[in-house]
Amino acid sequence: LLFLWSITVSIFGIGGLLGSSGSRYLTVKFGKKKCLLCNNVLMIVAASIMGCSKISQSFEMILIGRFMCGVSAGLCVPLHHQYVGEISPKKLRGFANSTSSFFWSLGKAIGQISGQRELLGSQSLWPMLMASCGLPALVQLVTLPFFPESPPYLLMHKGDQEGCKKAIRQLWGEGQHQAEIDDIVKEKATMKNTKILSVLELVKEPAFRWQLYMIVILTATIQLCGINAV
């Protein structure tokens, strides 16, 4: 039982690793908006599987659902940052990107509070708690189609200048946005001369060694800060 409990908890992280590893390929091939929409469907399916686990009397469904949630979360983190940053005006870009950290923390807090035995953590209501992760995904699935694709993606990867201009006007209103379009064109020209490293190449690259050390140490020590015990 202890082994199964440990696997159920940790399999979320394994799914997250797989999801984040495939995010770059998927965003380049399908675009950030389409990836987010498909990701929401994945989360809703995962929530449904976990929510039905008690009725089906299957702990395997919780394992599968947790793994799928992890994949969805792993995809969502880079996708969300990129999409929100790219659709925001330059003067609001930093603020827009910082909101994701706030909502991650808020979501964790709501989850911890909702999981109390007096609320959804009771013997009869815990399947609802497991399935609750599907609600934000459903909200985004319904509202996201009204948003355009990322303007930099349309221009840099699709070469659709008219589509890029239309998306910018829809997001930022009518006005003169040629300076922003020129910035995207410059970025596209810079990327042509920049080699994109794979994960393995990044680990082997001496120039990024100390940055990697710092990130690994910081991320590892966060896990030891006692938050799980609290």
Side-chain angles (χ1 to χ4, degrees), residues 37-149:
L37 286 168
C38 293
N39 195 43
N40 290 325
V41 174
L42 179 64
M43 181 62 84
I44 291 167
V45 171
S48 303
I49 290 171
M50 291 189 293
C52 296
S53 59
K54 187 179 180 183
I55 298 171
S56 305
Q57 296 184 335
S58 170
F59 71 87
E60 293 90 350
M61 291 177 69
I62 300 176
L63 276 167
I64 294 166
R66 286 276 297 172
F67 177 75
M68 291 172 67
C69 272
V71 173
S72 179
L75 279 167
C76 180
V77 173
L79 277 173
H80 176 84
H81 278 287
Q82 290 172 32
Y83 186 69
V84 169
E86 290 176 5
I87 66 171
S88 304
K90 190 179 285 186
K91 60 182 179 181
L92 296 175
R93 199 162 291 163
F95 170 76
N97 269 323
S98 66
T99 57
S100 60
S101 301
F102 168 76
F103 283 114
W104 275 107
S105 302
L106 181 64
K108 287 180 180 180
I110 292 171
Q112 294 284 353
I113 294 166
S114 303
Q116 298 301 309
R117 285 189 176 89
E118 292 80 7
L119 298 172
L120 295 178
S122 64
Q123 185 99 19
S124 57
L125 295 178
W126 67 262
M128 290 179 61
L129 178 66
M130 298 290 283
S132 63
C133 60
L135 289 175
L138 182 61
V139 171
Q140 191 177 71
L141 185 65
V142 172
T143 56
L144 195 59
F146 296 99
F147 286 76
E149 181 55 89

Side-chain angles (χ1 to χ4, degrees), residues 7-39:
I7 291 292
T8 303
V9 172
S10 60
I11 202 167
F12 179 88
I14 297 168
L17 178 64
L18 292 173
S20 59
S21 299
S23 62
R24 179 181 163 270
Y25 169 77
L26 292 171
T27 51
V28 171
K29 187 169 179 63
F30 301 108
K32 296 168 181 68
K33 180 182 170 181
K34 284 182 182 176
C35 284
L36 281 169
L37 286 168
C38 293
N39 195 43

Side-chain angles (χ1 to χ4, degrees), residues 137-169:
L138 182 61
V139 171
Q140 191 177 71
L141 185 65
V142 172
T143 56
L144 195 59
F146 296 99
F147 286 76
E149 181 55 89
S150 159
Y153 173 78
L154 290 170
L155 187 57
M156 292 169 67
H157 296 286
K158 293 294 184 183
D160 185 0
Q161 190 158 355
E162 285 305 312
C164 175
K165 289 178 181 178
K166 184 180 177 182
I168 287 174
R169 284 195 297 269

